[in-house]
């Protein structure tokens, strides 16, 4: 149903004239005596609703169903007419609920039988209804403002349902003429107004209500076009359950509804708690939920039965056990809100409460023979119950190639758990409409930018990464991806770095993958070099985010043991110059696919170690070995660290160099500049920065 | 989207087409040539498509039921026989039946009709069908439009001038309907080249004032993640496999690596299998965590990615498309308003993952969730009166429930203008009062007559007592203040 179809606006006009106070003569026994107490008591006379009461409760039932199935965009304007017009609500969405209408109706009260019938008429209400249909709804307004130049494409259609007691067919004709005239008048007025729209199409549904036992004075009439704008139909109905039935049929016709009866619902008996009987509950919903039956012509096969008025058909579906659980993702082709026909009957409320408590029920098509076909599911979401249509035919996607057979399918060490954690961190949550951040980004744009930040450096497999396999890096890795860092965050990151420095000093083993390499893999110091490089790659990817992010990088650069590049090149064996050069370049290339470099580098290192086992001694002089200059100040500050304590293989040369440097370092105080240098480059005028807050001296060396 | 190839095998298909300087062909040969092209293309590029072959003349016959085995289709094509006259209506009816039997009425299908354009003669000719189309009874309707969403391609093998275009027209068909849909799946900086199968079709929403077909863009961007329980079996327009593909540097596709289980493992396939792919990572984590990824398909159009396992425990990355629009699922709210949970002041999932911000609660409760009063059936009214009486007999223990039910009835009666009922219930309560046994608590009598009096006042319509929002409160008595409002 298009949004601005006739059912976008429904104006109810209910006659409140004195004759509506006539009793309907449908008697209701409300004094139901229980057997034990019936002796000697005369039961009270049964009560009878007046025509007004019948009209109100049936129209409220109509509204209840509309609001249940269409909580938005299908609007009702409720008008009561006697000597004047009482408009009980507006087209505003916030006015669209039955409680508000009930309150307003209570204020109106039943018609006063002693009021002068001459000055009362339903005509006032009909005129008001036409005026009301010309009023623009918030949806029409929104649509017109978004369309701008094609605003005239927004249609204005509506329906008037008039519940009255007419005198005769001539009276009915008079009412129709009045509506037609008013439409013509109002359309002229609306043409010149911004807040009004001319009515393009109006359906008038006149329901003549008369007491039971009376002869009707008005004849039924099928829908007839009275003009290009107005069509009208007349229903002559006895008050009471006939009227209720008529309006139920009308609401189904007006709002494209269909009926489904859930059968075989097991329910505990009130009296006998351990027995259970089966009940049926009838639900209304959009008729598209039956599309499969309608199209295949299976409507009757599916257990549809004609009932009561002959107009109403219901499809029977069977309650199905076992039930489904909520973590199952069904292939569902439609979900439609429901409204129970008999909302407060015990079977209905049992079913709806069961569903509202979060459980779902699968429904099965009753078939005489053959396999069972589950075609629907009832489930509630946020206090609303939906009838889900499940696909019950063969899938065209059956027997697909498994993902393990495709690209990347042979790789076995994906960081599945880490990515799971990543997904949890990037779960979505609804934000109120008003919440826009400083950059005017919608929440969903913020979500995308968070994903971008979190994936700037994200190796997909375990053997591609060292830092993400280390518990010690976690605090920094979690913080650095954030959009903004606090000073405390920076401190945490720095602590993480110091912790790593400490680990390196103690030569703690690193979880470096040895996949693809024979032997023990890279040496410990090489491992740390790889780890530092990777950490730097991670942090560099975020360095542009804020000045605090930069400080984290500064801290790493200051603390890590990285040989100065200049010396590196000089010391390097000429034959590998080209190769190394390439890796080095890649290492700097953090903007793009930065993370491939370390694995490449690692591979390169391993290969080198493999074919150069014999040249081991010479290699130690290569750039890959620890740089003594940088190590020296650390020994100095962290005072005692006897080199013999260090674990892992240490070459003779290293031992010797360490000893010499250690001895030398005791003889003089190191230049402050060199102490805090990065790659033997010291920054000048650091105090300027210091005045602006903390800076590179977090390790406290230079302050001494 | 399954395909039915409907091949004309009437005698007129054997008419020769003379092309200068070449041997003589029958129209049938040309048709077979074109279809061979199509089948070869599908076998290499669109292998997961189910295709069936139906031939027709005055009768129709299902030569090959829906299959992915293109050799069988080709073989059947090569062994076509020639029959009598063209009778299109019966053939289309046949196609309609075959498709519905196999796939139901909601699965979109493509029908490729290959014919020489002869309409047939006499009964069953297209002319005859169209002349009588308005005089049909319900179950003998002309089979078009099909009850399922469909596309009908007519490949007309017409006359000599067009012979040269046979290749062309079949290539056009291939491009239009059977070229693989390639896209890039993105999650921030993590990406994977993928094929989406079957091709996502353009969607037009009827609700729109100015309907424009929407197409799925080739950049599929993940916006975030949601638990399966929260997304809760949402309605979808269609489902698609998302198959990672390897694209080499020149941009040529190497293949999905696995669509072909019959083919030998080529070195490139092996390579593709061994290099890490984001799809596989994503699939693995979605499966383990029981989550889905929300993916943007275009402006105001979203879908979800999830792991789907078939009966054989083979599992796969699937994408389902939601209805286009800003709010496809009421329980998620507007998609543009979904943001990262970490931006919220308080973790909406709770510190121990015990909570969820979904589903979104609508502003108003539905009727079945708010204990509405409906008296359309006499039983509804009787039940409500009985409830009051039942509680009345258990006063003062049930004072609270008694007044709750009494007020509910009062409100409804006032709204419905049903004052007579208020009087009746007042009388009932007064009678209950007289029937109280001697052992009854003295408070019971007070409450009953108080309630009866209040109802009577309300039934007078006096605005002082008949206000809808007004509630009858328990009478304060000397006997333990029945209503719980203790006196000091």
């Amino acid at each position: 149903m298009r949004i601005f179809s006739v059912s976008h606006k429904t104006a109810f006009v209910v006659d409140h004239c004195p004759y509506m106070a006539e009793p309907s003569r449908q008697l209701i026994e409300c004094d139901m005596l229980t057997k034990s107490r019936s002796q000697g008591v005369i039961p009270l006379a049964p009560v009878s609703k007046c025509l007004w009461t019948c009209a109100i409760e049936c129209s409220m039932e109509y509204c209840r169903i509309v609001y249940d199935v269409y909580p938005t965009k299908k609007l009702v304007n409720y008008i009561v007419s006697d000597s004047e017009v009482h408009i009980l609500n507006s087209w505003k969405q916030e006015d669209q609920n039955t409680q508000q209408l009930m309150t307003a109706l209570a204020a109106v009260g039943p018609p006063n039988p002693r009021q002068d019938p001459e000055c009362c008429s339903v005509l006032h209400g009909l005129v008001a209804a036409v005026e009301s249909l010309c009023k623009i709804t918030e949806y029409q307004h929104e649509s017109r403002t978004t369309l701008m130049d094609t605003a005239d494409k927004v249609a204005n259609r509506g329906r008037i349902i008039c519940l009255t007691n007419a005198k005769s067919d001539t009276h009915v004709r008079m009412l129709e003429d009045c509506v037609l005239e008013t439409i013509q008048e109002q359309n002229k007025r609306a043409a010149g107004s911004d807040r009004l729209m001319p009515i393009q199409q109006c359906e008038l549904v006149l329901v003549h209500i008369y007491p039971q036992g009376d002869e009707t004075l008005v004849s039924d009439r099928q829908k007839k076009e009275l003009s290009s704008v107005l069509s009208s139909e007349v229903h002559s109905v006895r008050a009471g359950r006939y009227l209720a039935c008529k309006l139920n049929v009308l609401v189904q016709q007006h709002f494209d509804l269909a009926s489904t009866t859930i059968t075989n619902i097991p329910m505990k008996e009130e009296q006998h708690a351990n027995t259970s009987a089966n009940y049926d509950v009838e639900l209304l919903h959009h008729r598209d939920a039956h599309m499969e039956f309608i199209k295949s012509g299976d409507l009757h096969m599916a257990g549809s039965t004609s009932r009561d008025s002959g107009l109403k058909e219901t499809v029977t579906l069977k309650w199905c056990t076992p039930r489904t659980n909520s973590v199952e993702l069904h292939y569902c082709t439609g979900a439609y809100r429901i409204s129970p026909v008999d909302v407060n009957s015990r079977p209905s409320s049992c079913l709806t409460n069961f569903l509202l408590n979060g459980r779902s029920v699968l429904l099965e098509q009753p078939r005489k023979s053959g396999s069972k076909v589950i075609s629907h599911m009832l489930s509630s979401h946020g206090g609303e119950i939906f009838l889900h249509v499940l696909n019950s035919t063969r899938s065209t996607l059956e027997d697909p190639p498994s993902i393990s057979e495709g690209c990347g399918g042979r790789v076995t060490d994906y960081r599945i758990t880490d990515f799971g954690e990543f997904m949890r961190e990037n779960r979505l949550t609804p934000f109120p409409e008003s919440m826009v951040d400083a950059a005017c980004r919608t929440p969903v744009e913020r979500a995308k930018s968070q994903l971008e930040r979190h994936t700037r450096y994200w190796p997909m497999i375990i053997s591609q990464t060292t830092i993400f396999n280390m518990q010690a890096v976690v605090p920094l890795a979690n913080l650095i991806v954030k959009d903004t860092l606090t000073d405390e965050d920076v401190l945490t990151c720095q602590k993480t770095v110091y912790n790593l420095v400490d680990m390196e000093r103690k030569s703690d083993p690193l979880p470096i993958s040895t996949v693809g390499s024979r032997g023990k893999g890279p040496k410990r110091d090489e491992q740390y070099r790889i780890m530092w490089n990777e950490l730097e790659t991670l942090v560099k990817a975020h360095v542009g985010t804020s000045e605090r992010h930069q400080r984290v990088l500064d801290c790493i650069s200051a603390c890590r043991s990285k040989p100065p590049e200049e010396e590196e090149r000089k010391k390097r064996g000429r034959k590998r110059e080209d190769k190394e050069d390439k890796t080095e370049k890649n290492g700097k290339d953090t903007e793009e696919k930065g993370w491939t470099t370390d694995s490449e580098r690692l591979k390169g290192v391993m290969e080198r170690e493999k074919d150069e086992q014999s040249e081991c001694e010479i290699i130690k002089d290569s750039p890959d070995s620890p740089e003594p200059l940088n190590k020296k100040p650390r020994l100095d500050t962290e005072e005692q660290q006897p080199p013999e304590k260090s674990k892992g293989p240490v070459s003779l040369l290293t031992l010797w160099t360490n000893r010499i440097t250690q001895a030398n370092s005791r003889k003089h105080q190191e230049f402050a500049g060199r102490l805090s240098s990065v790659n033997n480059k010291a920054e000048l005028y650091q105090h300027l920065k210091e005045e602006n807050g903390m800076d590179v001296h977090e390790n406290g060396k230079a302050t001494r | 989207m399954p395909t039915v190839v409907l091949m004309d095998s009437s005698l007129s298909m054997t008419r020769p087409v003379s092309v200068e300087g070449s041997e003589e062909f029958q129209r049938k040969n040309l048709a077979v040539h074109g279809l061979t092209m199509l089948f070869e293309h599908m076998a290499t590029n669109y292998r997961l498509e189910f295709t069936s072959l139906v031939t027709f003349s005055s009768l129709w016959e299902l030569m090959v039921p829906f299959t992915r085995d293109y050799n069988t289709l080709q073989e059947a094509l090569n062994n076509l026989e020639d029959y009598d006259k063209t009778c299109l209506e019966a053939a289309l009816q046949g196609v309609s039946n075959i498709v519905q039997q196999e796939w139901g009425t909601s699965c979109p299908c493509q029908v490729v009709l290959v014919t020489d354009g002869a309409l047939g003669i006499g009964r069953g000719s297209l002319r005859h069908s169209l002349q009588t189309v308005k005089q049909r009874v319900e179950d003998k309707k002309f089979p078009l439009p099909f009850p399922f969403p469909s596309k009908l391609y007519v490949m007309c093998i017409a006359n000599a001038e067009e012979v040269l275009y046979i290749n062309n027209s079949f290539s056009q068909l291939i491009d239009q309907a059977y070229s693989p849909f390639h896209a890039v799946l993105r999650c921030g900086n993590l990406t994977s080249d993928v094929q989406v199968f079957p091709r996502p079709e353009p969607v037009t929403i009827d609700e729109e004032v100015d309907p424009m077909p929407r197409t799925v863009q080739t950049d599929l961007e993940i916006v975030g993640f949601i638990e399966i329980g929260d997304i809760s079996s949402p309605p979808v327009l269609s489902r698609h496999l998302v198959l990672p593909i390897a694209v080499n540097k020149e941009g040529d596709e190497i293949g999905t690596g696995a669509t072909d289980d019959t083919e030998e493992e080529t070195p490139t396939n092996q390579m593709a299998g061994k290099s890490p792919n984001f799809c596989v990572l994503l699939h693995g984590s979605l499966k383990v965590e029981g989550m889905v990824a929300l993916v943007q398909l275009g402006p105001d159009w979203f879908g979800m990615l999830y792991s789907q396992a078939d009966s054989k425990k083979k599992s796969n990355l699937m994408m389902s498309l939601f209805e286009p629009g800003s709010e496809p699922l009421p329980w998620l709210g507007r998609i543009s308003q979904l943001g990262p949970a970490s931006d919220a002041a308080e973790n909406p999932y709770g510190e121990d993952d015990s909570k969820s911000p979904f589903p979104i609660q609508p502003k108003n409760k539905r009727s079945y969730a708010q204990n509405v009063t409906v008296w359309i059936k006499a039983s509804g009214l009787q039940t409500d009166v009985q409830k009051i009486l039942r509680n009345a007999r258990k006063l003062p223990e049930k004072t609270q429930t008694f007044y709750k039910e009494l007020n509910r009835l009062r409100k409804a009666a006032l709204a419905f203008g049903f004052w007579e009922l208020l009087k009746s219930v007042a009388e009932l309560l007064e009678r209950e009062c007289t029937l109280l046994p001697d052992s009854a608590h003295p408070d019971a009598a007070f409450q009953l007559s108080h309630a009866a009096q209040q109802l009577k006042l309300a039934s007078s319509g006096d605005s002082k007592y008949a206000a809808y929002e007004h509630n009858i409160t328990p009478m304060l008595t000397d006997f333990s203040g029945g209503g719980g409002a203790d006196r000091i």
Side-chain angles (χ1 to χ4, degrees), chain A residues 103 106, chain B residues 403-404 406-412 414 450-451 453-455 457-459 462-474:
Chain A
T103 314
Chain B
Y403 280 100
K404 194 182 133 213
L406 191 73
N407 280 312
R408 193 165 80 89
L409 176 120
R410 177 187 170 276
K411 276 194 159 69
L414 287 173
H450 166 69
Q453 194 205 359
Q454 289 291 315
L455 287 183
L457 285 169
S459 74
D462 184 337
S463 60
K464 195 175 155 202
Y465 300 103
Y468 185 76
E469 295 305 335
H470 176 79
N471 274 320
I472 303 176
T473 48

Side-chain angles (χ1 to χ4, degrees), chain A residues 1 68 384 394 401 427, chain B residues 102 207 227 316 366-367 375:
Chain A
M1 210 183 329
D68 273 356
E384 290 187 288
R394 186 179 166 194
R427 273 183 293 188
Chain B
E102 196 76 50
E207 286 274 335
E227 313 263 347
N316 240 295
R366 304 283 87 89
S367 69
W375 291 332

Side-chain angles (χ1 to χ4, degrees), chain B residues 415-429:
Chain B
F416 296 149
F418 199 0
W419 292 354
E420 201 183 328
L421 177 72
L422 295 175
K423 288 182 197 127
S424 269
V425 174
E427 281 173 42
L428 274 174
L429 293 179

Side-chain angles (χ1 to χ4, degrees), chain B residues 348-361:
Chain B
Y349 290 93
E351 291 314 316
D352 51 351
D353 253 353
S354 57
K355 291 193 293 183
S356 169
F358 302 108
I360 292 200
Q361 300 289 332

Side-chain angles (χ1 to χ4, degrees), chain A residues 235-499:
Chain A
H235 303 273
S236 180
V237 200
R238 270 175 288 171
R241 62 188 176 92
Y242 302 97
L243 179 64
C245 206
K246 172 59 78 181
L247 279 175
N248 187 287
V249 170
L250 287 178
V251 74
Q252 292 192 46
Q253 284 173 358
H254 294 166
F255 290 91
D256 289 347
L257 304 184
S259 152
T260 296
T261 301
I262 317 296
T263 182
N264 264 15
I265 304 175
M267 251 171 68
K268 289 229 165 69
E269 291 286 353
E270 223 159 354
Q271 263 74 37
H272 318 281
N274 35 13
T275 61
S276 88
N278 292 333
Y279 288 90
D280 293 0
V281 171
E282 187 185 350
L283 307 174
L284 294 179
H285 49 78
H286 195 278
R287 65 160 173 237
D288 278 359
H290 289 164
M291 197 47 96
E292 186 78 9
F293 302 137
I294 297 168
K295 276 185 175 171
S296 60
D298 264 3
L299 205 57
H300 294 275
M301 230 176 69
S304 149
T305 44
S306 291
R307 314 184 330 160
D308 290 352
S309 59
L311 266 166
K312 207 163 104 180
E313 285 194 323
T314 186
V315 167
T316 307
L317 293 173
K318 220 171 109 199
W319 171 285
C320 191
T321 32
R323 300 184 297 261
T324 171
N325 58 0
S326 65
V327 289
E328 203 174 337
L329 208 51
H330 293 274
Y331 178 23
C332 161
T333 54
Y336 306 92
R337 288 186 177 85
I338 61 104
S339 183
V341 171
D342 211 357
V343 63
N344 51 5
S345 76
R346 208 172 88 83
S348 279
S349 59
C350 272
L351 175 67
T352 51
N353 285 334
F354 180 85
L355 296 165
L356 290 173
N357 284 334
R359 283 171 286 192
S360 303
V361 185
L362 293 173
L363 303 173
E364 146 188 12
Q365 281 175 252
R367 295 223 164 153
K368 286 195 183 85
S369 61
S371 57
K372 89 178 182 187
V373 177
I374 291 176
S375 59
H376 291 78
M377 178 177 76
L378 277 171
S379 187
S380 79
H381 311 283
E384 290 187 288
I385 299 174
F386 289 80
L387 181 61
H388 290 247
V389 182
L390 304 182
N391 181 64
S392 49
T393 49
R394 186 179 166 194
S395 162
T396 54
L397 297 178
E398 68 185 32
D399 202 16
S402 171
I403 193 142
S404 60
E405 296 158 23
C407 291
R410 300 284 166 80
V411 179
T412 52
D413 64 336
Y414 284 106
R415 293 170 58 203
I416 300 282
T417 323
D418 289 350
F419 198 72
E421 189 56 38
F422 167 90
M423 295 194 312
R424 298 193 161 275
E425 279 160 20
N426 285 286
R427 273 183 293 188
L428 298 168
T429 194
F431 285 90
E433 295 281 338
S434 52
M435 226 188 97
V436 196
D437 72 349
C440 279
R441 291 179 304 174
T442 58
V444 79
E445 282 163 353
R446 292 206 306 272
K448 283 190 209 165
S449 88
Q450 174 165 312
L451 285 176
E452 190 279 321
R453 282 200 317 277
H454 283 210
T455 53
R456 284 192 196 156
Y457 176 71
W458 214 98
M460 287 196 281
I461 55 175
I462 295 165
S463 53
Q464 255 175 4
T465 179
T466 307
I467 56 170
F468 292 111
N469 300 330
M470 293 167 65
Q471 202 54 42
V473 183
V474 171
L476 184 144
N478 283 347
L479 286 171
I480 200 73
V481 294
K482 282 171 62 175
D483 209 6
T484 49
L485 292 181
T486 61
D487 282 332
E488 204 179 324
D489 292 339
V490 175
L491 209 64
T492 313
C493 291
Q494 287 164 343
K495 275 185 193 153
T496 308
V497 175
Y498 303 153
N499 189 20

Side-chain angles (χ1 to χ4, degrees), chain B residues 19 58 134 149 173 246 316 332 349 357 425:
Chain B
V19 182
S58 62
K134 295 223 169 108
L173 173 70
N316 240 295
L332 292 193
Y349 290 93
V425 174

Side-chain angles (χ1 to χ4, degrees), chain A residues 1-3 28-33 37 41-42 44 47-49 52-53 56-57 61 64 67-68 71 99 102-103 105-106 110 143 147 153 244 292 295 326-335 337-338 340 342-344 352 356 377 381-386 388 393-403 405-411 414-416 419-420 423-424 426-433 442-444 446-448 450-452 455-456 458 460-461, chain B residues 2 50 68 102-107 147 187-190 198 206-207 209-210 221-225 227-228 232-236 239 241 244-246 256-258 265 272-278 280 282-286 289 291 294 296 306 312 314-316 330-331 334 336-343 348-349 353 357-359 361-362 366-368 370 372 374-377 381-382 385-386 393 414-420 424 427-428 431-432 468-469:
Chain A
M1 210 183 329
R2 284 163 196 242
I3 165 163
I28 305 161
E29 210 66 65
C30 67
D31 191 12
M32 310 279 285
L33 291 168
R37 295 165 58 100
V41 179
I42 307 149
L44 291 177
V47 288
S48 166
K49 297 170 186 169
W52 164 259
T53 300
I56 295 300
E57 62 178 12
E61 182 68 359
R64 178 187 73 77
Y67 293 147
D68 273 356
Q99 296 98 305
M102 294 277 271
T103 314
L105 282 167
S143 192
L147 286 171
K153 284 193 180 166
E292 186 78 9
K295 276 185 175 171
S326 65
V327 289
E328 203 174 337
L329 208 51
H330 293 274
Y331 178 23
C332 161
T333 54
R337 288 186 177 85
I338 61 104
D342 211 357
V343 63
N344 51 5
T352 51
L356 290 173
M377 178 177 76
H381 311 283
E384 290 187 288
I385 299 174
F386 289 80
H388 290 247
T393 49
R394 186 179 166 194
S395 162
T396 54
L397 297 178
E398 68 185 32
D399 202 16
S402 171
I403 193 142
E405 296 158 23
C407 291
R410 300 284 166 80
V411 179
Y414 284 106
R415 293 170 58 203
I416 300 282
F419 198 72
M423 295 194 312
R424 298 193 161 275
N426 285 286
R427 273 183 293 188
L428 298 168
T429 194
F431 285 90
E433 295 281 338
T442 58
V444 79
R446 292 206 306 272
K448 283 190 209 165
Q450 174 165 312
L451 285 176
E452 190 279 321
T455 53
R456 284 192 196 156
W458 214 98
M460 287 196 281
I461 55 175
Chain B
F50 279 101
R68 284 170 177 161
E102 196 76 50
W103 312 105
T105 54
S106 51
C107 173
C187 174
N189 294 299
L190 299 169
D206 198 29
E207 286 274 335
V209 179
D210 218 359
E221 191 176 9
I222 292 176
V223 300
F225 302 87
E227 313 263 347
I228 284 185
S232 188
S233 298
V236 301
R239 291 192 309 170
L241 286 168
I245 49 173
T256 55
E265 280 276 359
K274 279 179 183 164
S275 60
N277 190 295
F278 172 59
V280 187
L282 175 69
H283 168 267
S285 299
L286 289 174
E289 299 286 336
M291 291 175 102
L294 204 61
Q296 180 148 24
Y306 53 97
K312 292 174 192 159
K314 277 185 177 180
S315 94
N316 240 295
W331 50 96
R334 270 178 186 275
S336 61
Q337 291 306 118
L338 297 182
S342 53
D343 276 10
Y349 290 93
D353 253 353
F358 302 108
Q361 300 289 332
R366 304 283 87 89
S367 69
Y368 44 80
Q370 56 176 331
V372 291
V374 180
W375 291 332
I376 283 179
K377 288 189 177 163
L381 178 59
Q382 285 156 353
V385 173
Q386 286 303 312
R393 284 162 203 154
L414 287 173
F416 296 149
F418 199 0
W419 292 354
E420 201 183 328
S424 269
E427 281 173 42
L428 274 174
R431 194 185 64 198
E432 278 304 316
Y468 185 76
E469 295 305 335

